[in-house]
Amino acid sequence: ERPPWQWSVFGAGLIVLLWVVLTLVAAPVTRLVAASNAIATLLQLAIQAIASFLVGAVIGTWSRRRGIREAAVAGALSALFAAGCGAVVAVSTGVATWLDVAISFAGGAALLPSASGAGALGAWLGGRKKRVLDVP
């Protein structure tokens, strides 16, 4: 059995990987549907929540404990990673101001509740599935 912090780091990496894959798969649909930045942002929020939910279910199923806390932490770490990437991209363009960096971190903070909640829900359902399968 792995220590809890390893499940959180492993889960965060999987969430980011799955988020990128789902974003690439949904890119054509996003271009057709997203007439405004608000809709595009909501679609990305939904894709990130789906990735957190699915990885949370994996953590809940494979962890000996229920893994709810670890999955919630993994979702939060992935949201902070996204905020950090946005800040790095903003700074690397050379025209970024402190306001751009602050907006990037505010976007990451907006992802925290949905990512953590979806990860915890996935782990809870994954843990329930495991317990049902373990019963003779």
Side-chain angles (χ1 to χ4, degrees):
E1 175 66 7
R2 297 189 181 280
W5 69 269
Q6 287 182 357
W7 283 108
S8 296
V9 172
F10 170 72
L14 275 179
I15 289 170
V16 170
L17 177 66
L18 189 57
W19 188 4
V20 169
V21 170
L22 289 175
T23 299
L24 290 174
V25 168
V29 175
T30 304
R31 273 188 241 122
L32 292 175
V33 175
S36 69
N37 284 340
I39 294 173
T41 302
L42 287 175
L43 286 172
Q44 284 301 313
L45 184 69
I47 289 171
Q48 202 271 347
I50 290 168
S52 296
F53 175 79
L54 293 174
V55 172
V58 168
I59 291 173
T61 302
W62 291 99
S63 172
R64 282 204 183 175
R65 295 193 268 145
R66 295 180 75 190
I68 294 172
R69 182 176 15 161
E70 291 81 9
V73 170
L77 287 175
S78 70
L80 292 175
F81 178 77
C85 286
V88 167
V89 167
V91 169
S92 68
T93 60
V95 294
T97 64
W98 287 108
L99 180 62
D100 296 329
V101 174
I103 289 171
S104 175
F105 280 112
L111 288 174
L112 280 171
S114 65
S116 296
L121 179 63
W124 179 74
L125 288 175
R128 288 183 52 84
K129 175 185 169 195
K130 178 175 59 175
R131 284 193 298 282
V132 168
L133 293 176
D134 288 343
V135 174

